[in-house]
Coordinates of all heavy atoms in Angstrom, one line a residue:
L19 N 0.9 -1.2 0.0 CA 0.0 0.0 0.0 C 0.9 1.2 0.0 O 1.8 1.4 0.9 CB -0.9 0.0 1.2 CG -1.9 -1.1 1.3 CD1 -1.4 -2.3 2.1 CD2 -3.3 -0.7 1.7
V20 N 0.7 2.1 -1.0 CA 1.6 3.2 -1.2 C 0.8 4.5 -0.7 O -0.2 4.9 -1.4 CB 2.1 3.4 -2.6 CG1 3.1 4.5 -2.8 CG2 2.7 2.1 -3.1
G21 N 1.3 5.1 0.4 CA 0.5 6.2 0.9 C -0.2 5.7 2.2 O -0.2 4.6 2.6
L22 N -0.8 6.7 2.9 CA -1.5 6.4 4.2 C -2.9 5.8 3.9 O -3.7 6.5 3.3 CB -1.6 7.6 5.0 CG -2.3 7.5 6.4 CD1 -1.6 6.6 7.3 CD2 -2.5 8.9 7.0
P23 N -3.2 4.6 4.3 CA -4.5 4.0 4.0 C -5.6 4.6 4.9 O -5.9 4.0 6.0 CB -4.3 2.5 4.2 CG -3.2 2.4 5.2 CD -2.3 3.6 4.9
A24 N -6.1 5.7 4.5 CA -7.2 6.3 5.3 C -8.5 6.3 4.6 O -8.6 5.8 3.5 CB -6.8 7.8 5.6
G25 N -9.6 6.7 5.3 CA -10.9 6.7 4.7 C -11.3 5.3 4.3 O -11.1 4.3 5.0
Y26 N -11.9 5.2 3.1 CA -12.3 3.9 2.6 C -11.1 2.9 2.4 O -11.3 1.7 2.4 CB -13.1 4.1 1.3 CG -14.4 4.7 1.4 CD1 -14.8 5.9 1.0 CD2 -15.5 3.9 2.0 CE1 -16.0 6.5 1.1 CE2 -16.7 4.5 2.2 CZ -17.0 5.7 1.7 OH -18.3 6.3 1.9
Q27 N -9.9 3.5 2.2 CA -8.8 2.6 2.0 C -8.3 1.9 3.2 O -7.4 1.1 3.2 CB -7.7 3.3 1.2 CG -8.2 3.9 -0.1 CD -9.3 3.2 -0.8 OE1 -9.2 2.0 -1.0 NE2 -10.3 3.9 -1.2
M28 N -8.8 2.3 4.4 CA -8.5 1.5 5.6 C -9.1 0.1 5.4 O -8.5 -0.9 5.9 CB -9.1 2.2 6.8 CG -8.7 1.5 8.1 SD -6.9 1.5 8.4 CE -6.7 0.1 9.4
T29 N -10.3 0.1 4.8 CA -10.9 -1.2 4.5 C -10.0 -2.0 3.5 O -9.8 -3.3 3.7 CB -12.3 -1.1 3.8 OG1 -13.1 -0.4 4.7 CG2 -12.9 -2.4 3.4
S30 N -9.3 -1.3 2.6 CA -8.4 -2.0 1.7 C -7.2 -2.6 2.4 O -6.7 -3.7 2.1 CB -7.9 -1.0 0.6 OG -9.0 -0.6 -0.2
F31 N -6.7 -1.9 3.5 CA -5.6 -2.3 4.3 C -6.0 -3.6 5.0 O -5.3 -4.6 5.1 CB -5.2 -1.2 5.3 CG -4.0 -1.5 6.1 CD1 -3.0 -2.4 5.7 CD2 -3.8 -0.9 7.3 CE1 -1.9 -2.7 6.4 CE2 -2.7 -1.1 8.1 CZ -1.7 -2.0 7.6
I32 N -7.2 -3.6 5.6 CA -7.7 -4.8 6.3 C -7.8 -6.0 5.3 O -7.4 -7.1 5.6 CB -9.1 -4.6 6.9 CG1 -9.0 -3.5 8.0 CG2 -9.6 -5.9 7.6 CD1 -8.1 -3.8 9.2
T33 N -8.3 -5.7 4.1 CA -8.4 -6.7 3.0 C -7.1 -7.2 2.7 O -6.9 -8.4 2.4 CB -9.1 -6.0 1.8 OG1 -10.4 -5.6 2.1 CG2 -9.1 -7.0 0.6
A34 N -6.0 -6.4 2.6 CA -4.7 -6.8 2.3 C -4.2 -7.8 3.3 O -3.6 -8.9 3.0 CB -3.7 -5.6 2.2
M35 N -4.4 -7.5 4.6 CA -4.0 -8.4 5.7 C -4.7 -9.8 5.6 O -4.1 -10.8 5.7 CB -4.2 -7.8 7.0 CG -3.3 -6.6 7.3 SD -3.3 -6.0 9.0 CE -4.7 -4.9 9.0
Q36 N -6.0 -9.7 5.3 CA -6.8 -11.0 5.2 C -6.3 -11.8 4.0 O -6.2 -13.0 4.1 CB -8.3 -10.7 5.1 CG -8.8 -10.1 6.4 CD -10.3 -9.8 6.3 OE1 -10.8 -9.3 5.2 NE2 -11.0 -10.0 7.3
A37 N -6.1 -11.1 2.9 CA -5.6 -11.8 1.7 C -4.3 -12.5 1.9 O -4.2 -13.7 1.5 CB -5.5 -10.8 0.5
V38 N -3.4 -11.9 2.5 CA -2.1 -12.5 2.8 C -2.2 -13.6 3.7 O -1.6 -14.7 3.5 CB -1.1 -11.4 3.3 CG1 0.3 -12.0 3.7 CG2 -0.8 -10.3 2.2
A39 N -2.9 -13.4 4.8 CA -3.0 -14.5 5.9 C -3.7 -15.7 5.3 O -3.4 -16.8 5.7 CB -3.7 -13.9 7.1
F40 N -4.7 -15.5 4.5 CA -5.5 -16.6 3.9 C -4.9 -17.1 2.6 O -5.6 -18.0 2.0 CB -7.0 -16.2 3.8 CG -7.7 -16.2 5.1 CD1 -7.9 -15.0 5.8 CD2 -8.3 -17.4 5.6 CE1 -8.7 -15.0 7.0 CE2 -9.0 -17.4 6.8 CZ -9.2 -16.2 7.5
Q41 N -3.8 -16.6 2.2 CA -3.1 -17.0 1.0 C -3.9 -17.0 -0.3 O -3.8 -17.8 -1.2 CB -2.5 -18.5 1.2 CG -1.6 -18.6 2.4 CD -0.9 -19.9 2.5 OE1 -0.6 -20.6 1.6 NE2 -0.8 -20.4 3.8
G42 N -4.7 -15.9 -0.3 CA -5.5 -15.7 -1.6 C -6.7 -16.6 -1.7 O -7.2 -16.8 -2.8
S43 N -7.1 -17.3 -0.7 CA -8.2 -18.3 -0.8 C -9.5 -17.7 -1.1 O -10.5 -18.5 -1.4 CB -8.2 -19.2 0.5 OG -8.6 -18.4 1.6
A44 N -9.7 -16.4 -1.0 CA -11.0 -15.8 -1.3 C -11.2 -15.7 -2.8 O -12.3 -15.4 -3.2 CB -11.0 -14.4 -0.7
L45 N -10.2 -16.0 -3.6 CA -10.4 -16.0 -5.1 C -11.4 -17.1 -5.5 O -11.4 -18.2 -4.9 CB -9.1 -16.2 -5.8 CG -8.1 -15.1 -5.7 CD1 -6.7 -15.5 -6.3 CD2 -8.6 -13.8 -6.4
E46 N -12.1 -16.9 -6.6 CA -12.9 -17.9 -7.1 C -12.1 -19.1 -7.6 O -10.9 -18.9 -8.0 CB -13.7 -17.4 -8.3 CG -14.7 -16.2 -7.9 CD -15.3 -15.6 -9.1 OE1 -15.1 -16.1 -10.3 OE2 -16.1 -14.6 -8.9
A47 N -12.6 -20.3 -7.6 CA -11.9 -21.5 -8.0 C -11.3 -21.3 -9.4 O -10.2 -21.7 -9.7 CB -12.7 -22.7 -7.9
K48 N -12.2 -20.8 -10.3 CA -11.7 -20.7 -11.7 C -10.5 -19.7 -11.8 O -9.6 -20.0 -12.6 CB -12.9 -20.1 -12.5 CG -12.6 -19.9 -14.0 CD -13.8 -19.3 -14.8 CE -13.4 -19.1 -16.2 NZ -14.6 -18.5 -17.0
T49 N -10.5 -18.7 -11.0 CA -9.4 -17.7 -11.0 C -8.1 -18.4 -10.6 O -7.1 -18.2 -11.2 CB -9.7 -16.5 -10.2 OG1 -10.9 -15.9 -10.6 CG2 -8.6 -15.5 -10.2
R50 N -8.2 -19.2 -9.5 CA -7.0 -19.9 -9.0 C -6.5 -20.8 -10.0 O -5.2 -20.9 -10.2 CB -7.4 -20.6 -7.7 CG -7.7 -19.7 -6.5 CD -7.6 -20.4 -5.2 NE -8.5 -21.5 -5.1 CZ -9.8 -21.4 -4.6 NH1 -10.3 -20.2 -4.3 NH2 -10.5 -22.5 -4.5
I51 N -7.3 -21.5 -10.7 CA -6.9 -22.5 -11.8 C -6.2 -21.7 -12.9 O -5.1 -22.1 -13.4 CB -8.1 -23.3 -12.4 CG1 -8.6 -24.2 -11.3 CG2 -7.7 -24.0 -13.6 CD1 -10.0 -24.9 -11.7
Q52 N -6.7 -20.6 -13.3 CA -6.1 -19.8 -14.4 C -4.8 -19.2 -14.0 O -3.8 -19.2 -14.8 CB -7.1 -18.7 -14.8 CG -8.3 -19.2 -15.5 CD -9.4 -18.1 -15.8 OE1 -9.6 -17.2 -14.9 NE2 -10.0 -18.1 -17.0
L53 N -4.7 -18.7 -12.8 CA -3.4 -18.1 -12.3 C -2.4 -19.1 -12.0 O -1.2 -18.8 -12.0 CB -3.7 -17.2 -11.1 CG -4.6 -16.0 -11.3 CD1 -4.7 -15.2 -10.0 CD2 -4.0 -15.1 -12.3
H54 N -2.8 -20.4 -11.7 CA -1.8 -21.4 -11.4 C -0.8 -21.6 -12.5 O 0.4 -22.0 -12.2 CB -2.6 -22.7 -11.1 CG -1.6 -23.8 -10.6 ND1 -1.1 -23.8 -9.3 CD2 -1.2 -24.9 -11.2 CE1 -0.3 -24.8 -9.2 NE2 -0.4 -25.6 -10.3
G55 N -1.2 -21.4 -13.7 CA -0.3 -21.7 -14.9 C 0.4 -20.4 -15.3 O 1.2 -20.5 -16.2
L56 N 0.3 -19.3 -14.6 CA 1.0 -18.1 -14.9 C 2.5 -18.2 -14.6 O 2.9 -18.6 -13.5 CB 0.4 -16.9 -14.1 CG 1.0 -15.5 -14.3 CD1 0.6 -15.0 -15.7 CD2 0.5 -14.5 -13.3
Q57 N 3.3 -17.9 -15.6 CA 4.7 -18.0 -15.5 C 5.4 -16.6 -15.6 O 6.5 -16.4 -15.2 CB 5.3 -18.9 -16.5 CG 4.8 -20.4 -16.4 CD 5.2 -21.0 -15.1 OE1 6.3 -20.8 -14.6 NE2 4.3 -21.7 -14.5
Q58 N 4.8 -15.6 -16.2 CA 5.4 -14.3 -16.4 C 5.1 -13.4 -15.2 O 4.1 -13.6 -14.5 CB 4.8 -13.6 -17.7 CG 5.1 -14.4 -19.0 CD 4.1 -15.4 -19.4 OE1 3.3 -15.8 -18.5 NE2 4.1 -15.9 -20.6
E59 N 6.0 -12.4 -15.0 CA 5.8 -11.5 -13.9 C 4.7 -10.5 -14.2 O 4.7 -9.9 -15.4 CB 7.1 -10.8 -13.6 CG 8.2 -11.7 -13.2 CD 7.9 -12.6 -12.0 OE1 7.5 -12.0 -11.0 OE2 8.0 -13.8 -12.1
V60 N 3.9 -10.2 -13.3 CA 2.7 -9.2 -13.4 C 2.8 -8.2 -12.3 O 2.9 -8.6 -11.1 CB 1.4 -10.0 -13.4 CG1 0.2 -9.0 -13.5 CG2 1.3 -10.9 -14.6
K61 N 2.6 -7.0 -12.7 CA 2.5 -5.9 -11.7 C 1.2 -5.2 -11.8 O 0.9 -4.6 -12.9 CB 3.7 -4.9 -11.9 CG 3.7 -3.7 -10.9 CD 4.9 -2.8 -11.2 CE 5.0 -1.7 -10.2 NZ 6.1 -0.8 -10.5
L62 N 0.4 -5.3 -10.8 CA -0.9 -4.7 -10.7 C -0.8 -3.4 -9.9 O -0.4 -3.5 -8.7 CB -1.9 -5.6 -10.1 CG -2.1 -7.0 -10.8 CD1 -3.1 -7.8 -10.0 CD2 -2.6 -6.8 -12.3
E63 N -1.2 -2.3 -10.4 CA -1.2 -1.0 -9.7 C -2.6 -0.4 -9.7 O -3.1 -0.1 -10.7 CB -0.2 0.0 -10.4 CG 1.2 -0.4 -10.3 CD 2.1 0.5 -11.1 OE1 2.1 0.4 -12.3 OE2 2.8 1.4 -10.5
L64 N -3.2 -0.4 -8.5 CA -4.5 0.2 -8.3 C -4.4 1.6 -7.8 O -3.9 1.8 -6.7 CB -5.3 -0.7 -7.4 CG -6.7 -0.2 -7.0 CD1 -7.6 -0.2 -8.3 CD2 -7.3 -1.1 -5.9
I65 N -4.9 2.5 -8.5 CA -4.9 3.9 -8.1 C -6.2 4.3 -7.6 O -7.3 4.2 -8.3 CB -4.4 4.9 -9.3 CG1 -3.0 4.4 -9.8 CG2 -4.3 6.3 -8.8 CD1 -2.6 5.2 -11.0
T66 N -6.3 4.8 -6.4 CA -7.6 5.1 -5.7 C -7.4 6.3 -4.8 O -6.4 7.0 -5.0 CB -8.1 3.8 -5.0 OG1 -9.4 4.1 -4.4 CG2 -7.1 3.4 -3.9

């Protein structure tokens, strides 16, 4: 998280902690299958 996660993005911070602790298990099964075969590096930048 780049910047101070305030306002609605405090929820994003909590979401980040949950995602990491649960190892991404909140993803849909189809998404996990598709990402399992990913070999290239991907950088996702969400501006909010």
Side-chain angles (χ1 to χ4, degrees):
L19 296 96
V20 184
L22 178 65
Y26 286 112
Q27 304 327 312
M28 186 61 205
T29 299
S30 296
F31 185 25
I32 300 297
T33 295
M35 290 191 277
Q36 292 179 322
V38 173
F40 283 97
Q41 302 185 37
S43 62
L45 291 173
E46 297 173 5
K48 180 181 178 181
T49 302
R50 294 198 299 273
I51 292 170
Q52 291 172 319
L53 293 180
H54 185 71
L56 182 68
Q57 297 300 318
Q58 297 90 343
E59 299 303 307
V60 174
K61 183 179 182 180
L62 303 175
E63 295 175 281
L64 177 65
I65 303 175
T66 183

